[in-house]
């Protein structure tokens, strides 16, 4: 086994004051109230991805007169600094009682699927007792092991709001910077050509704010995830019908609509003819706008010293054990890397493990065992984005496993809760049922139209948990 000596991790840096960074700080403090924790946050507010950012009124021209990736230039041309993918009428994909932190319910009377504004306020309230730990408008520029090669030790280069740079030293670092601020584009023939010849008509969900520019236009929507389903419905209320939809698989949140014409994937776009060819051979013409709802790229620019290939390989460059610990450096942890998850509770499950490992109460397997675990997942799922995809019920199985792992830690008097430490939610049968039913509940919620704001519980929509009969 590989263990960290008790009291050897006294100073911790957390990168990001979004949900996962806030949860990590709370679990570390519960483990050791005297621990020195610094949370670096680029913005002037907590909440991370839940902060809404307006688009720039002026589109930037392509860098240096153009790049080899004109599609990326086109869809990011009007993004503000510190962009998030929040849009005006966004509501959560999960019921609030499912997505909440274990010790912080949403206020009584909250809409079943809260708006982005409600979630941001919730996070601001959650952060209230740890605000002194946060250094706002501080960007982490570089992260590397201490030059003396100690097992525990990191040099963190930070730039403040006045662009003053300094190097600070920590025993451990938790990366909680999120991964929803930069678009991931599909490999589609002609996409760069479209971005070059008609950049104003190529969009990505990362820059979607509302559907006004699509009014009475012919739209091609690409992607089948939850954001594609929601954004597609909003655009359909404004644009010319039918909406053309290309998706290789349908999200559980997808609802068949007569105003949409669906195709099994997009093969090619042809900007000169304003047309698109689909996987079944069909061609559609006179397309005014293409909207890509194809996910987000992992971005860790501050890790290039540690992994020079991370800019090109992204998440594949990071060797992580159990989606958390760097296999070579046990004092470098990543919170909320997995996708297709219940984010706040999963961050808590990971933070509980990290806090116990860094306090020395919980052992890690040795490096060869960590590498063996990773090789097994690669063999099963590959080393691409699927490595970290925990599609339900995999996310439930993972959170249960993290809970049990945390629960194995030896007790210690300095910890909260009589020495046992802070514990995340235990995923009982009812919670698992609600997770698996969330997409159907959301579709029923959306079906209420403008009256959905009055819905406070899933029972009002006709859903009922039956004890012991749900397979969990």
């Amino acid at each position: 086994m590989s263990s960290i000596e008790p009291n050897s991790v006294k100073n911790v840096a957390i990168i990001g004051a979004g949900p996962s960074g806030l949860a990590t700080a709370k679990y570390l403090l519960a483990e050791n109230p005297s621990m020195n924790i610094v949370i670096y946050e680029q913005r002037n507010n907590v909440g991370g991805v839940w902060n809404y950012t307006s688009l720039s009124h002026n589109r930037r021209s392509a860098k240096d007169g153009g790049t080899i990736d004109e599609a990326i230039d086109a869809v990011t041309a009007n993004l503000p600094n510190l962009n998030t993918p929040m849009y005006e009428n966004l509501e959560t994909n999960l019921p609030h009682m499912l997505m909440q932190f274990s010790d912080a319910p949403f206020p009584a009377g909250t809409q079943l699927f809260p708006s982005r504004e409600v979630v941001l306020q919730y996070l601001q309230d959650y952060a209230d007792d740890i605000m002194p730990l946060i250094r706002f408008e501080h960007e982490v520029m570089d992260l590397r092991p201490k030059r003396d090669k100690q097992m525990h030790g990191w040099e963190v280069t930070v730039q403040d709001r006045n662009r003053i740079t300094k190097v600070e030293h920590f025993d451990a670092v938790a990366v909680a910077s999120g991964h929803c601020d930069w678009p991931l584009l599909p490999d589609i023939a002609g996409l760069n050509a479209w971005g070059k010849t008609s950049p104003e008509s190529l969009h990505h969900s990362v820059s979607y704010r509302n559907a006004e520019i699509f009014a009475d236009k012919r739209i091609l929507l690409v992607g089948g995830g939850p954001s594609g389903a929601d954004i597609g419905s909003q655009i359909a209320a404004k644009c010319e019908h039918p909406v053309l939809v290309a998706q290789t698989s349908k999200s559980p949140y997808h609802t068949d609509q007569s105003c949409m014409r669906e195709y099994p994937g997009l093969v090619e776009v042809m900007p000169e003819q304003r047309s698109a060819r689909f996987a079944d051979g069909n061609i559609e013409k006179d397309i005014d706008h293409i909207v890509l709802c194809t996910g987000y790229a992992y971005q860790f620019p501050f890790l290039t010293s540690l992994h020079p290939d991370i800019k090109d390989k992204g998440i594949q460059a990071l060797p992580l054990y159990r989606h958390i610990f760097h296999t070579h450096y046990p004092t470098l942890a990543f919170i909320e890397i997995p996708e297709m998850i219940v984010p706040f509770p999963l961050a808590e499950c990971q933070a509980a493990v990290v806090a116990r490992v860094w306090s020395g109460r919980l052992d890690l397997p040795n490096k060869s065992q960590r590498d063996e675990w990773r090789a097994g997942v690669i063999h099963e799922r590959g080393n691409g984005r699927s490595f970290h995809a925990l599609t339900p019920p995999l996310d439930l199985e993972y959170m249960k496993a993290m809970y049990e792992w945390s629960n194995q830690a030896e007790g210690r008097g300095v910890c909260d809760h009589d020495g046992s430490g802070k514990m995340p939610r235990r995923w009982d049968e009812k919670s698992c049922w609600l997770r698996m039913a969330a997409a159907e509940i959301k579709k029923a919620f959306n079906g209420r139209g403008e009256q959905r704001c009055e819905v406070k519980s899933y029972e009002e929509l006709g859903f009922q948990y039956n004890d012991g009969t749900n397979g969990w």
Side-chain angles (χ1 to χ4, degrees):
M1 302 295 284
S2 175
S3 62
I4 293 176
E5 291 297 320
N7 300 316
S8 64
V9 175
K10 300 177 181 179
N11 302 288
V12 176
I14 299 173
I15 303 176
S20 55
L22 300 176
T24 301
K26 293 201 173 193
Y27 276 81
L28 288 170
L29 287 174
E31 196 71 13
N32 182 359
S34 63
M35 181 176 286
N36 176 51
I37 298 173
V38 176
I39 306 174
Y40 295 113
E41 172 52 55
Q42 295 183 80
R43 298 177 177 82
N44 60 7
N45 190 21
V46 302
V49 70
W50 291 95
N51 283 279
Y52 177 85
T53 52
S54 299
L55 297 179
S56 171
H57 293 295
N58 299 313
R59 294 179 63 90
R60 296 189 303 274
S61 58
K63 300 183 286 289
D64 301 321
T67 73
I68 62 172
D69 204 342
E70 289 91 350
I72 283 286
D73 288 340
V75 301
T76 61
N78 60 347
L79 295 186
N81 292 329
L82 307 180
N83 180 66
T84 74
M86 289 292 108
Y87 46 91
E88 290 179 7
N89 295 319
L90 184 143
E91 294 166 330
T92 66
N93 288 323
L94 299 170
H96 63 77
M97 64 284 292
L98 186 68
M99 69 178 292
Q100 69 184 36
F101 291 113
S102 59
D103 57 352
F106 277 79
T110 296
Q111 177 180 297
L112 181 59
F113 293 86
S115 68
R116 59 174 176 81
E117 295 93 339
V118 169
V119 177
L120 181 60
Q121 183 60 58
Y122 171 83
L123 293 170
Q124 291 170 343
D125 294 341
Y126 182 73
D128 187 63
D129 59 338
I130 56 173
M131 290 292 283
L133 307 180
I134 306 173
R135 296 186 190 175
F136 291 107
E137 297 181 77
H138 279 65
E139 180 179 4
V140 174
M141 310 299 290
D142 185 68
L143 172 65
R144 63 182 67 193
K146 283 185 178 179
R147 291 182 174 86
D148 58 12
K149 304 295 184 181
Q150 294 180 10
M151 180 181 178
H152 310 316
W154 295 90
E155 294 180 355
V156 182
T157 303
V158 183
Q159 186 177 89
D160 67 15
R161 61 177 64 90
N162 298 314
R163 305 188 69 79
I164 297 173
T165 301
K166 61 180 177 180
V167 178
E168 301 198 83
H169 300 272
F170 295 92
D171 301 316
V173 176
V175 178
S177 53
H179 47 83
C180 291
D181 60 352
W182 194 253
L184 180 68
L185 300 190
D187 184 13
I188 295 173
L191 197 61
N192 277 328
W194 194 295
K196 183 177 182 179
T197 60
S198 186
E200 295 84 359
S201 67
L202 185 62
H203 314 269
H204 186 275
S205 55
V206 75
S207 61
Y208 176 80
R209 295 299 181 267
N210 59 55
E212 297 304 318
I213 65 170
F214 306 116
D216 301 320
K217 302 296 184 182
R218 186 165 168 80
I219 307 301
L220 168 59
L221 182 81
V222 184
S227 62
D230 191 38
I231 290 172
S233 293
Q234 293 189 17
I235 291 175
K238 295 283 186 178
C239 72
E240 175 187 310
H241 291 172
V243 182
L244 309 175
V245 180
Q247 50 188 3
T248 55
S249 61
K250 292 183 180 181
S251 164
Y253 291 85
H254 174 83
T255 301
D256 291 328
Q257 299 182 54
S258 60
C259 65
M260 295 187 176
R261 182 179 296 164
E262 298 177 9
Y263 291 100
L266 179 63
V267 174
E268 180 183 12
V269 293
M270 295 157 278
E272 294 83 2
Q273 296 82 29
R274 308 291 295 188
S275 62
R277 181 166 59 89
F278 300 94
D280 60 2
N282 277 298
I283 293 176
E284 292 280 3
K285 300 179 180 180
D286 302 321
I287 296 169
D288 294 310
H289 292 273
I290 299 174
V291 182
L292 304 168
C293 297
T294 51
Y296 304 94
Y298 290 85
Q299 296 276 298
F300 302 103
F302 50 85
L303 290 179
T304 52
S305 295
L306 188 64
H307 289 287
D309 57 348
I310 200 165
K311 183 176 181 180
D312 297 322
K313 291 187 176 180
I315 193 63
Q316 296 180 46
L318 291 177
L320 300 185
Y321 173 68
R322 303 297 289 270
H323 309 287
I324 304 174
F325 296 99
H326 195 291
T327 57
H328 300 288
Y329 303 101
T331 53
L332 177 59
F334 294 78
I335 308 298
E336 210 181 304
I337 288 293
E339 300 180 291
M340 316 292 185
I341 59 170
V342 185
F344 298 3
L346 185 134
E348 282 193 277
C349 289
Q350 293 183 321
V353 169
V354 170
R356 286 159 172 77
V357 169
W358 286 355
S359 72
R361 291 205 298 134
L362 196 63
D363 287 336
L364 280 175
N366 61 40
K367 186 178 182 304
S368 63
Q369 291 171 317
R370 299 195 294 266
D371 289 338
E372 183 179 346
W373 176 88
R374 185 167 180 269
V377 177
I378 291 173
H379 177 75
E380 180 182 342
R381 297 190 227 159
N383 193 29
R385 295 179 71 91
S386 59
F387 183 96
H388 295 290
L390 298 181
T391 306
L394 292 180
D395 60 341
L396 295 172
E397 295 169 4
Y398 177 80
M399 289 187 288
K400 288 179 179 181
M402 294 303 99
Y403 181 95
E404 295 302 329
W405 191 12
S406 297
N407 206 31
Q408 295 171 11
E410 298 179 359
R412 184 173 299 156
V414 70
C415 300
D416 282 358
H417 305 281
D418 299 322
S420 63
K422 184 177 174 66
M423 287 294 289
R425 171 190 298 181
R426 188 181 186 96
W427 283 81
D428 59 16
E429 183 180 284
K430 184 176 182 179
S431 298
C432 292
W433 167 82
L434 182 57
R435 168 58 175 134
M436 298 306 294
E440 292 302 316
I441 296 172
K442 179 62 183 288
K443 288 191 285 188
F445 174 82
N446 287 342
R448 291 291 182 93
E450 295 301 318
Q451 282 71 49
R452 68 187 184 279
C453 62
E454 301 172 5
V455 178
K456 314 300 181 185
S457 69
Y458 53 79
E459 290 90 350
E460 296 172 55
L461 298 171
F463 291 84
Q464 188 70 41
Y465 168 72
N466 296 312
D467 188 21
T469 63
N470 298 280
W472 289 98

